[in-house]
Amino acid sequence: MGLLEGKTALVTGGSAGIGFASAARLAAEGAHVFITGRRKAELDAAAEEIGPPATAVAGDIANLADLDRVYEVIGKRGRGLDVLFANASIASLVPLEQMTEEHFDTLFGINVRGMLFTVQKALPLLNEGASVILNGSTNVDAGDEAMGVYAATKAATRSFSRTWANELKGRGIRVNTVTPGPTDTPALSALAPDPEHFKKQLAARVPLGRLGRPEETAAAVAFLASDQSSFMTGSSLYVDGGLNQI
């Protein structure tokens, strides 16, 4: 028996990186996992790789009609929702002097507005005692150059988890943030023109001397999703190799 036997989960941004690894781990723990994302071909391939416990539903969390459609599909299964991993987000390196209205609106539209409505629209489906997990970032604490808007969106995420943990406690719903450090994902590689040099620079800052693996964050997500973390809510669980701890 897995930690999530018979449970139903949703992972946004589930076609690659931390989202895919988390969806695969939740499925391995016994959950039926719905995954959503903007790229249908990649999403379908991810669901096929995970196997029968996974259902792909293409959609953009920044589009409220898409979110409604995702939750309509989940609702038709008739078992509600026990785990929501609001993982989908985007990042880009843009310093203050190069900031544009479009860049700001895109990041806040997906990482903040999209996440908010992902959770709000899930509320009617969330079962008593469900677990909501938000994907944070160590950039909230770091002040790294050119990451100002991205870090601000993740600061909003951290704030949401505290507020929503308080608002939903009457239903026994726990809300926590998982906070990865630099993790070797396609999204990280896409941030810089020389990905290997960029990743070596990041790894050199981590006390454990390497980047994280998506599966390591997925293990933390499975923990927060399960009853093993039953006395945790409003928390931020760091998976950062010690980057923001030492």
Side-chain angles (χ1 to χ4, degrees):
M1 295 284 287
L3 294 174
L4 300 167
E5 203 68 37
K7 303 291 188 180
T8 302
L10 169 64
V11 177
T12 65
S15 64
I18 288 171
F20 172 75
S22 296
R25 177 61 184 265
L26 297 179
E29 294 291 352
H32 185 92
V33 182
F34 290 87
I35 57 173
T36 190
R38 293 178 293 177
R39 298 181 295 274
K40 186 177 187 304
E42 288 89 337
L43 197 69
D44 289 342
E48 184 175 355
E49 184 173 345
I50 295 170
T55 300
V57 187
D60 182 351
I61 66 166
N63 184 316
L64 300 193
D66 280 7
L67 281 173
D68 288 336
R69 183 168 46 80
V70 169
Y71 287 124
E72 182 180 2
V73 172
I74 296 172
K76 286 180 178 177
R77 188 165 180 264
R79 299 189 182 184
L81 194 59
D82 302 293
V83 179
L84 169 58
F85 180 29
N87 162 72
S89 62
I90 59 171
S92 56
L93 294 168
V94 181
L96 176 60
E97 64 270 19
Q98 296 176 19
M99 190 64 56
T100 64
E101 184 178 4
E102 180 183 13
H103 173 75
F104 179 92
D105 288 348
T106 298
L107 264 67
F108 267 81
I110 293 173
N111 297 5
V112 180
R113 181 179 180 273
M115 178 171 287
L116 185 152
F117 286 108
T118 294
V119 177
Q120 186 203 64
K121 288 179 176 292
L123 294 178
L125 286 174
L126 288 174
N127 294 322
E128 184 84 10
S131 174
V132 175
I133 304 155
L134 310 183
N135 193 9
S137 170
T138 52
N139 285 106
V140 168
D141 308 311
D144 287 334
E145 294 181 18
M147 295 296 284
V149 170
Y150 174 72
T153 67
K154 293 302 183 177
T157 296
R158 180 69 188 103
S159 181
F160 281 156
S161 69
R162 289 189 172 105
T163 303
W164 296 343
N166 198 30
E167 291 181 349
L168 299 176
K169 65 182 184 292
R171 294 174 57 185
I173 295 171
R174 299 180 297 109
V175 185
N176 292 289
T177 303
V178 64
T179 305
T183 305
D184 195 0
T185 65
L188 185 73
S189 295
L191 280 177
D194 186 347
E196 291 309 312
H197 177 68
F198 179 59
K199 289 193 289 186
K200 285 179 181 178
Q201 284 183 313
L202 291 176
R205 295 169 54 188
V206 178
L208 289 185
R210 63 174 177 85
L211 299 180
R213 299 186 296 271
E215 294 78 13
E216 291 172 315
T217 300
V221 170
F223 168 71
L224 290 174
S226 75
D227 287 341
Q228 290 192 339
S229 60
S230 58
F231 202 52
M232 291 179 65
T233 195
S235 297
S236 181
L237 181 58
Y238 281 79
V239 188
D240 67 349
L243 178 64
N244 284 22
Q245 316 308 316
I246 300 173

